[in-house]
Every structure is written in C-alpha cells, then in structure tokens.
Amino acid sequence: MRCKEKEIILAIQKKREVMIISAKETGYTSPETIKHSQELDELIFEYQIAYRQKKAKRLFVKELHKQSMIVWPKHLVYKHGDIMKSYN
C-alpha cells in the first residue's frame, strides 16, 4: 500500500472516531457531528478516487501486456532436447 493511501486510511479512522465522540456528546444531528460526517465523506471519496486510479493503471498495464508480442530471433529459441544435446 502506498504512503498516500495509508495516510488517507489513517485520516478516515481518526475522523470516524471524532465523529462518533461528537455524536455521543452532542447528538447525531448536531451541526458539529454533521460537519465531521461530511469531512469523513470527503476523505472516503478521496480514497475511492485514489483506489480507482490505481486499479485503472493496473488494468491498463495488464491490457498492454495482452496486446504485446515478443519476437525472439530464431537462434534464441531452443527446444528442451536441443539444449540437452549441446551438453553431451
């Protein structure tokens, strides 16, 4: 996991804890709790965007790999039996 993702996850956990404490102390519908909830939503959204970008990059590389073709010179392609004959 990358450093930025770890930072976002830690921020989400901390904000969740702050929101829960606020909800217990001031109520679930208090302006303070709602503010923390909205900030938590923003952090979760930021994490989702980072995760989707990472996944998109992975899929892009995977698709490129499928489309790529390696052409080996004929003299570098051996059969198992050919290798064993050269050692005898």
Side-chain angles (χ1 to χ4, degrees):
M1 196 178 280
R2 294 157 74 194
C3 187
K4 182 170 176 135
E5 290 176 31
K6 286 182 182 179
E7 289 176 15
I8 295 172
I9 289 173
L10 287 173
I12 288 170
Q13 291 171 342
K14 288 178 184 177
K15 184 53 72 175
R16 185 179 291 133
E17 290 171 7
V18 169
M19 184 189 70
I20 290 169
I21 291 169
S22 174
K24 287 179 181 178
E25 292 176 357
T26 62
Y28 289 101
T29 58
S30 73
E32 181 183 340
T33 303
I34 291 171
K35 181 183 123 224
H36 292 305
S37 176
Q38 290 170 342
E39 291 170 353
L40 178 62
D41 289 343
E42 289 174 13
L43 288 169
I44 292 170
F45 183 69
E46 184 179 340
Y47 177 79
Q48 288 174 336
I49 288 173
Y51 178 77
R52 285 182 186 144
Q53 287 175 345
K54 181 179 171 182
K55 187 176 179 181
K57 286 179 186 177
R58 228 178 328 169
L59 290 174
F60 178 72
V61 170
K62 194 174 186 180
E63 190 60 34
L64 281 180
H65 179 69
K66 285 180 184 177
Q67 294 175 2
S68 65
M69 185 171 98
I70 299 174
V71 179
W72 295 95
K74 195 171 188 174
H75 66 278
L76 291 178
V77 179
Y78 298 103
K79 293 180 184 174
H80 181 69
D82 293 341
I83 295 171
M84 298 309 291
K85 287 178 191 174
S86 64
Y87 286 117
N88 294 330

